[in-house]
Amino acid sequence: MLTVGVAMLQGARNEHMYSLRKAAQNLDMEISIRELRKSTDVDGVDAIVLPGGESTAMKIASRSENLYNEIWQRARNDSIPILGTCAGAILLSQQGLIETEIERNAFGRQKDSFQSEIRVSVGNNEKFQGVFIRAPRFLKGSDHPIAWLSDEVVGVREGRIMALTFHPELTEDYRFHEWLLSEANHTN
Ligand code: GLN
């Protein structure tokens, strides 16, 4: 059985857990979800979700327990699959775990949050509802795009790491969570 860790320091965590459960049902897989709060929680997880929220607050919250350093080590040493959304994508880029650079709050302030149909190449090719909340923007095109808002890349996959500037956990479309579980399943 797969164990999927969700970083619990700050941000949209419960929604990701719900989406993971739905994705597991769709794939007919059994998973156990582990809430990650301290570095030892990362032991033995097969995949990780880094939720959106506020990346600065997350880094501050992580200091006392060193959670993120442990996550980055697992990503580098064991290449476990990671799905990072919004602030999670920012952390992945800041760590150099994806090459694509990212700019915080690049669409403007809270009032500039928006929803829009986007195109994705994960799972089936149906349109996806992109929810952008004080979203970051990838700075240059990526060689590994998997989601587009018009012509702009809003999701990348580099190896076993996926970074999205929008919030799939706020929709009822579980393709991205299904990707994470399938990816983790390949090594088990
Ligand atoms: N603006 C946030 C940040 O810079 C990200 C927003 C989000 O995760 N919805 O960390």
Side-chain angles (χ1 to χ4, degrees):
M1 180 161 72
L2 287 182
T3 303
V4 186
V6 179
M8 293 303 282
L9 297 178
Q10 198 264 341
R13 296 149 285 184
N14 294 324
E15 293 82 355
H16 272 294
M17 293 198 262
Y18 180 83
S19 297
L20 284 168
R21 284 192 200 100
K22 287 288 193 185
Q25 271 173 22
N26 289 351
L27 297 174
D28 207 10
M29 278 170 72
E30 274 199 59
I31 60 165
S32 113
I33 297 179
R34 188 180 308 160
E35 303 186 359
L36 306 178
R37 296 197 163 79
K38 53 187 192 302
S39 57
T40 49
D41 295 338
V42 184
D43 285 354
V45 298
D46 303 298
I48 291 180
V49 173
L50 299 175
E54 199 49 61
S55 53
T56 313
M58 291 173 183
K59 283 189 269 190
I60 294 169
S62 160
R63 269 181 213 150
S64 61
E65 294 292 354
N66 218 14
L67 173 64
Y68 285 121
N69 283 340
E70 193 61 31
I71 293 177
W72 310 145
Q73 285 221 339
R74 289 286 323 270
R76 292 203 168 92
N77 300 343
D78 309 334
S79 7
I80 59 169
I82 299 186
L83 174 64
T85 59
C86 210
I90 295 172
L91 297 178
L92 289 169
S93 175
Q94 288 177 343
Q95 281 301 313
L97 282 164
I98 54 167
E99 275 176 20
T100 316
E101 288 172 29
I102 206 164
E103 184 188 350
R104 294 181 60 198
N105 302 326
F107 286 97
R109 303 182 66 83
Q110 191 72 34
K111 66 175 174 48
D112 299 309
S113 298
F114 61 98
Q115 291 196 33
S116 178
E117 266 192 0
I118 59 174
R119 199 157 50 83
V120 307
S121 63
V122 173
N124 62 46
N125 283 331
E126 281 165 31
K127 292 260 194 264
F128 194 92
Q129 191 61 22
V131 180
F132 294 85
I133 304 173
R134 296 208 303 128
R137 251 177 158 152
F138 293 120
L139 286 185
K140 50 182 166 65
S142 163
D143 292 339
H144 313 281
I146 46 104
W148 299 262
L149 170 67
S150 307
D151 291 339
E152 182 173 337
V153 173
V154 291
V156 302
R157 175 160 85 86
E158 299 190 24
R160 307 191 83 201
I161 298 191
M162 194 178 277
L164 312 174
T165 61
F166 52 95
H167 287 266
E169 77 284 7
L170 300 180
T171 71
E172 287 177 1
D173 192 323
Y174 306 109
R175 271 178 269 174
F176 292 97
H177 296 84
E178 287 169 14
W179 169 81
L180 184 71
L181 299 183
S182 307
E183 188 68 29
N185 213 19
H186 285 158
T187 51
N188 279 33

